[in-house]
Amino acid sequence: MTSLLARDLCVDRGGRTIVKNISFDLRAGEALVALGRNGAGKSTLLRAIAGFLPLSGGRLSHTGAEAEIPLPELSHYVGHADGLKSALTAAENLAFWARMLARSDETPSPSSALQRVGLKRLADFPVAYLSAGQKRRVALARLFMAPRPLWILDEPATALDIASQQVLAEAFAEHRAAGGMILAATHAPLGLVDAATLDLGSAPADLGGNA
Amino acid sequence: MLKYANPTNFLALAGRLIPWLAAATALSLGAGLFLTFFVAPDDYQQGSSVKIMYLHVPSAWLSMMCYVIMTSAALGTIVWRHPLADAAQKAAAPLGAIFTLLCLVTGSLWGKPMWGTWWVWDARLTSVLVLFLIYLGLIGLWQTIEEPAQAARAAAILTLVGVVNIPIIKFSVDWWNTLHQPASVFKIGGPAISGSMLWPLLIMAVAFTFLFLTLHLMAIRNEILRRRLRRLSIDAAHAEEKSEATA
Amino acid sequence: MRSPLSALFWRELRIARSVGGGGAMGVVFFLILVSLTPFAIGPDLNLLSRIGPAILWIAALLATLLGLDRLFQADADDGSLDLLLTAATPLELIVLVKCLAHWIATALPLVVASPLLGLTLAMEPESLAGISLSLLAGTPALTMLGAIGAALTAGLRRGGLLMAVLILPLTTPVLIFGVSSAAAASGGTVPFHIPMLILSALSLASLAGAPFAAAAALRARDA
């Protein structure tokens, strides 16, 4: 995928237009951070782009070698819920999502993905035993289990400590260097270098300080 | 006594007791089965199918005794919030379910030749079936609530509510007209059963009691160890977090 | 290498078996429903053996449906459902595999337990075989129809009861032919295979159609 083009996106929820006339271009290697106060529609926009909500107006298209593949199948979505089953171990959860999300049969081992987020030794622990921050890191390790060009991240740094935020920033840089794209909604700085920002209205502009 | 309420001391005590209890179980069960099959007489009406009694009656006793033990453990959980009481409760539920099932199945096998049917919906059979359902409900509750102390309190409340069923089972044969025969061992005026049948029955009852005690102690021990493992795992998960963060 | 669908199948079975999965509770619920009926209508064994197939079928119907409300709800709650929507595997196949795993974990035990419970209702041996066979042929239809209701109510806070209200009317044909094939097994004017074939047809039709309806309902979910 070489670029993602959004033109005049509108999303309705409960009879109200939450997201109105949003346009942006995202090219390979770029990152876009959606900003806005609570309720400005950041999550709604991301969920619509991921294909979970219908667009009520506008056009979303992508170009490149994978243009015929639907956009959701090219996207990783990390939202508020971690998508983990507490009865299974961290490694089992990741192995499952690798099978489900990867396009090829060759997926990295769960333990190498967990090592990147500093949880290698906890691979065989049931997710129920992990703390909120650890669960979030297992959810983020999913990004490494299947290569997908677009990462859609809704508040990815929630419950993460400083060290993990650093790991996340490194992963972002690596993903962009390999031609990936990142679309994130956040209140806190994510460590995304030269990210474009998308203001969804009445947001204090200084939150964009992704130094 | 209080000394053994400490789980570590309890584990040591259980480790010493279990071999002796297991040996007592093997001896008494062997003796009981020998008496049942080779000494106890056939009934002049029922023939040799009367021998099902030597399994049926002790398992019925145990199904109720187990509930009584579980009830006392439940009181221990509610009053003292003691982890040992929690473990004793949890360990008793599957054992009770098994003894009750054994009682229902042997009763059913005995009922077919005697009454011409596998099952009747009379007060005794029904109240024992309800006991079985209560045991199953308790097992389900234990399995559903992950936090052990919370599960123990919930199970204790259900156990105490369900205890009303025990006198109903015991006196159902006296209160209602049922197909099931009335009590013949524990009754006012002494046992109404001949000594040649009474002795094997009592020995089997002792054997079942030893069997229950052995299994119960082993299950409590497992439960204590399982809880420790769970706690250590959670601690380890959090300690690991710190060491990897500093590395 | 295992395919995505077999990975999903084994994950579902493992969750059903684990803590709080509720796989075994369906059988207990079935047992309770069956044993409540004699309390309500009295212990007359002749009457019970005549209406035994009906009791077992109604109990199986309720046990299957009430166990189904977590089928998609759990995945909706923990975010797995969103991620499944981004998989390359068609959602219809995902629904079908989830239903298959759910049927094995919850409905198959009912089929196995039904002859034992039939004994307590004084049913004849032919009738017992009939009820097991009819449940084996008919419960897939119940699971698949229930999956539509589960998909419609996934994400709703009090979906369980609503789901039963939506789906129970649709299950009437399954109930009718299920009970009549069980009854035909113990004699009667209709040969056993006729209601049995209709029952199998209902199951096959719902296997073919329900995944599309359930997947459409999951996609239309406003979450």
Side-chain angles (χ1 to χ4, degrees):
Chain A
M1 188 156 97
T2 51
S3 66
L4 174 68
L5 308 169
R7 290 291 171 269
D8 301 320
L9 299 184
C10 297
V11 188
D12 290 356
R13 296 200 72 183
R16 227 157 49 87
T17 305
I18 305 269
V19 174
K20 209 172 208 166
N21 298 332
I22 296 295
S23 301
F24 62 84
D25 288 0
L26 191 61
R27 290 176 207 294
E30 288 183 349
L32 181 68
V33 177
L35 301 168
R37 62 182 159 76
N38 287 337
K42 300 187 296 291
S43 295
T44 306
L45 176 66
L46 294 193
R47 292 184 66 81
I49 293 171
F52 307 149
L53 293 174
L55 293 171
S56 60
R59 217 165 54 80
L60 188 65
S61 58
H62 56 286
T63 61
E66 296 147 325
E68 77 289 354
I69 300 173
L71 186 60
E73 293 173 26
L74 298 171
S75 315
H76 265 303
Y77 176 81
V78 178
H80 299 289
D82 291 320
L84 304 173
K85 292 290 175 199
S86 56
L88 306 183
T89 67
E92 284 170 339
N93 270 294
L94 285 180
F96 167 71
W97 285 119
R99 296 260 158 69
M100 217 58 215
L101 299 177
R103 306 200 72 83
S104 71
D105 276 353
E106 286 135 36
T107 53
S109 74
S111 67
S112 70
L114 284 167
Q115 183 161 34
R116 289 197 63 174
V117 294
L119 291 176
K120 189 183 175 201
R121 305 245 181 98
L122 300 188
D124 296 327
F125 282 70
V127 166
Y129 290 177
L130 305 186
S131 69
Q134 290 171 332
K135 282 182 196 161
R136 172 47 58 104
R137 281 149 67 189
V138 177
L140 288 169
R142 207 168 54 223
L143 298 170
F144 311 129
M145 293 301 292
R148 288 188 163 202
L150 177 62
W151 289 5
I152 301 175
L153 312 169
D154 195 356
E155 304 281 3
T158 308
L160 289 190
D161 54 22
I162 303 290
S164 307
Q165 291 181 17
Q166 188 61 40
V167 169
L168 194 57
E170 283 162 21
F172 288 160
E174 192 178 306
H175 179 59
R176 291 169 68 187
M181 298 172 223
I182 294 170
L183 188 56
T186 185
H187 284 293
L190 283 179
L192 278 168
V193 186
D194 349 300
T197 59
L198 182 66
D199 197 341
L200 290 177
S202 42
D206 57 340
L207 267 180
N210 297 306
Chain B
M1 186 64 204
L2 263 181
K3 184 179 146 214
Y4 292 111
N6 174 316
T8 308
N9 295 338
F10 176 84
L11 285 180
L13 178 71
R16 279 204 304 279
L17 279 180
I18 284 170
W20 293 103
L21 280 171
T25 306
L27 270 179
S28 53
L29 204 56
L33 287 174
F34 178 81
L35 288 175
T36 300
F37 284 105
F38 300 109
V39 178
D42 286 356
D43 189 88
Y44 74 98
Q45 280 176 323
Q46 307 187 3
S48 54
S49 63
V50 73
K51 296 189 173 180
I52 297 176
M53 174 184 76
Y54 301 108
L55 286 178
H56 176 68
V57 174
S59 39
W61 285 342
L62 261 293
S63 69
M64 288 190 278
M65 189 181 95
C66 181
Y67 202 92
V68 172
I69 288 174
M70 204 166 64
T71 308
S72 8
L75 285 174
T77 293
I78 293 211
V79 178
W80 294 288
R81 305 208 159 181
H82 200 285
L84 197 57
D86 298 0
Q89 257 197 93
K90 184 173 182 182
L95 291 175
I98 294 287
F99 279 116
T100 314
L101 185 65
L102 200 59
C103 167
L104 288 170
V105 168
T106 52
S108 187
L109 292 175
W110 197 8
K112 186 62 181 171
M114 288 305 99
W115 306 332
T117 172
W118 298 102
W119 185 264
V120 286
W121 291 92
D122 82 346
R124 170 57 73 86
L125 278 72
T126 304
S127 50
V128 174
L129 180 63
V130 170
L131 179 69
F132 182 56
L133 293 176
I134 293 176
Y135 277 126
L136 292 184
L138 281 166
I139 295 172
L141 191 60
W142 278 112
Q143 286 187 343
T144 308
I145 305 180
E146 275 181 40
E147 167 59 36
Q150 189 196 349
R153 279 196 295 282
I157 292 168
L158 183 59
T159 304
L160 292 179
V161 172
V163 80
V164 292
N165 190 35
I166 294 296
I168 294 180
I169 295 176
K170 174 72 186 116
F171 296 111
S172 55
V173 280
D174 305 328
W175 293 346
W176 290 282
N177 259 329
T178 68
L179 201 50
H180 196 281
Q181 65 211 35
S184 40
V185 178
F186 296 115
K187 59 178 280 186
I188 300 160
I193 176 172
S194 85
S196 60
M197 287 185 173
L198 182 61
W199 277 111
L201 183 59
L202 288 181
I203 289 173
M204 280 303 275
V206 169
F208 268 54
T209 309
F210 275 131
L211 178 65
F212 169 77
L213 290 176
T214 314
L215 293 176
H216 194 214
L217 269 187
M218 290 167 81
I220 294 175
R221 185 170 66 171
N222 286 350
E223 179 55 25
I224 291 174
L225 293 175
R226 199 178 296 127
R227 275 188 172 209
R228 282 197 180 167
L229 184 64
R230 184 186 134 86
R231 204 180 51 238
L232 288 174
S233 300
I234 293 176
D235 287 351
H238 291 225
E240 201 62 55
E241 163 87 350
K242 285 191 196 86
S243 72
E244 288 194 40
T246 51
Chain C
M1 204 66 209
R2 276 159 41 178
S3 75
L5 288 175
S6 77
L8 178 68
F9 177 75
W10 290 111
R11 178 180 94 135
E12 292 294 315
L13 277 191
R14 208 178 284 162
I15 294 168
R17 201 173 52 86
S18 72
V19 174
M25 275 299 112
V27 191
V28 179
F29 186 67
F30 183 59
L31 171 60
I32 290 177
L33 282 177
V34 172
S35 47
L36 279 179
T37 325
F39 300 160
I41 62 176
D44 176 359
L45 284 182
N46 289 327
L47 178 63
L48 283 176
S49 82
R50 204 167 66 244
I51 62 170
I55 297 173
L56 286 171
W57 254 97
I58 290 182
L61 175 66
L62 294 178
T64 311
L65 279 193
L66 294 186
L68 267 168
D69 72 325
R70 298 293 294 163
L71 181 62
F72 300 116
Q73 185 69 57
D75 283 339
D77 289 346
D78 67 18
S80 299
L81 194 53
D82 290 340
L83 299 176
L84 289 174
L85 286 171
T86 69
T89 315
L91 189 57
E92 288 77 8
L93 285 179
I94 291 177
V95 168
L96 193 62
V97 166
K98 279 183 74 81
C99 289
L100 176 67
H102 190 271
W103 183 81
I104 289 175
T106 61
L108 202 54
L110 301 188
V111 176
V112 176
S114 60
L116 273 177
L117 296 184
L119 278 183
T120 70
L121 299 172
M123 285 164 62
E124 297 302 315
E126 305 82 49
S127 199
L128 291 176
I131 192 81
S132 298
L133 280 176
S134 69
L135 282 175
L136 187 65
T139 43
L142 297 181
T143 302
M144 296 313 298
L145 287 171
I148 300 177
L152 285 168
T153 55
L156 302 183
R157 217 165 301 136
R158 305 187 56 191
L161 198 54
L162 176 62
M163 182 199 130
V165 171
L166 297 178
I167 294 305
L168 280 174
L170 300 180
T171 57
T172 38
V174 184
L175 190 61
I176 291 170
F177 290 105
V179 175
S180 58
S181 51
S186 57
T189 49
V190 188
F192 176 63
H193 70 273
I194 291 178
M196 196 65 183
L197 284 177
I198 299 178
L199 193 61
S200 310
L202 287 172
S203 274
L204 291 174
S206 62
L207 271 171
F212 293 94
L218 288 177
R219 287 204 187 92
R221 188 178 58 99
D222 184 41

